[in-house]
Each structure stands twice: as structure tokens, then as C-alpha cells.
Amino acid sequence: MDTFFHGVPVEPYAQVLRLESGKRRYRVMNNSAKRLFAVADDPLDCLKEVEQTLRTVRLPEQRVSALGQLVMGIWQQFEADETTYIQEVAYRGISQFQIEEKIGHALANRQRIRWIEKADPRQSVIEFAHLRISFPKRPPGIVTVEPVESSYERGAL
């Protein structure tokens, strides 16, 4: 079973630059902050550079959570205060900033939610934005997030 959500476009964005010499350069930018995350001649090197940069970024305190939009949308809870419903977010192998950017981008592009476990009466498990997300069947509860696969294996650029 697949589910779709509508979202709002988010940053960062990637560009392929074609130089006069015929070479290509890859760069990843953050539009609102005009911040350059990475530039490299090889897309995999660019991704590695982005990965290092994003691990150091902290999220602002008052920010609408893309993960909250996703999980609360599944729970059909449309409240402004997600902390009433999401008690804690546990994540492994990825930063909170990366989770937010991946989910925000996937929501904006209306990617499908792949249900891994929907029949369990206590817990739901989905794959979305190359993340495995587990959460209780009904709020409130703890949400667990971990990467499904490496972004390098996907050839993201």
C-alpha cells in the first residue's frame, strides 16, 4: 500500500555546472541562507562533502518539523504543537538536520510512503525518503529514524 503527501519545497538544491572546458562541476546550495554546502568535480566527492557539512548543522529552535508533518499526517493529527504527540525522536546513523531535509524534500516531491509494518496493533513502520521510520500506532510516542541505505549507493546527484 502506498500513501502520498503534499509538501512545501525545501532546500538544499543541487546543480550541475558545465564549464567552458567541457568539464562538469557539482555543487549543493542552500537557497534561503545562500550557503554553499559543497563543490566538487565528482558527484560522489560532492556528496561526501555535503554529508560532512550537514552533520555539523544545528536546527533552529522554532521550526516546523518535516518528520512531525509526516508522522502526524499519518496519525491524522493536525495540531501546531507536535510535542504533544511526538514525545521523542530517536535517530541512528544520521543527524536530525539530515532527517528534516530528506523528509522535507520527499514531502515536497510527493514521494510514496512504503509500509513495512501496518498490521501490528502497537507500532507502524514505514520507509520514506530512504529512511526507516517506526512510530506507535496511536499518539503520543517515540519515533525512531534510521537510514535504509547509503545516499552514495543511490547516486543522488
Side-chain angles (χ1 to χ4, degrees):
M1 177 182 216
D2 294 322
T3 306
F4 289 90
F5 282 83
H6 295 268
V8 179
V10 293
E11 35 268 324
Y13 63 92
Q15 289 182 323
V16 179
L17 307 171
R18 299 185 199 301
L19 306 179
E20 288 181 21
S21 64
K23 285 183 70 176
R24 291 184 181 176
R25 293 215 44 158
Y26 302 86
R27 75 177 179 185
V28 178
M29 305 279 294
N30 179 326
N31 192 30
S32 64
K34 304 292 187 230
R35 179 175 177 183
L36 179 66
F37 283 142
V39 175
D41 291 331
D42 179 74
L44 293 181
D45 290 341
C46 192
L47 285 172
K48 288 177 186 172
E49 204 175 313
V50 169
E51 177 95 13
Q52 290 298 98
T53 302
L54 294 182
R55 286 191 187 275
T56 64
V57 174
R58 295 262 182 241
L59 291 172
E61 290 295 319
Q62 301 297 320
R63 181 173 193 254
V64 176
S65 162
L67 177 62
Q69 290 177 22
L70 173 68
V71 174
M72 288 173 58
I74 293 170
W75 282 334
Q76 297 183 352
Q77 302 293 330
F78 301 101
E79 308 291 328
D81 182 17
E82 68 190 54
T83 57
T84 304
Y85 299 95
I86 299 176
Q87 295 171 323
E88 179 185 343
V89 177
Y91 46 94
R92 291 185 289 269
I94 191 167
S95 73
Q96 190 174 1
F97 180 82
Q98 289 169 301
I99 290 168
E100 286 299 301
E101 291 298 322
K102 284 176 171 275
I103 291 175
H105 182 73
L107 286 171
N109 288 301
R110 298 177 50 199
Q111 290 183 8
R112 293 180 181 190
I113 293 172
R114 184 169 164 254
W115 290 90
I116 305 300
E117 181 57 65
K118 194 172 185 175
D120 187 315
R122 293 178 316 241
Q123 182 172 351
S124 295
V125 181
I126 61 172
E127 279 185 17
F128 186 69
H130 300 284
L131 300 171
R132 182 182 180 93
I133 305 167
S134 307
F135 49 91
K137 193 61 100 179
R138 297 269 179 251
I142 297 172
V143 178
T144 305
V145 183
E146 57 191 346
V148 172
E149 61 181 87
S150 167
S151 60
Y152 310 128
E153 295 169 7
R154 289 195 332 268
L157 287 180

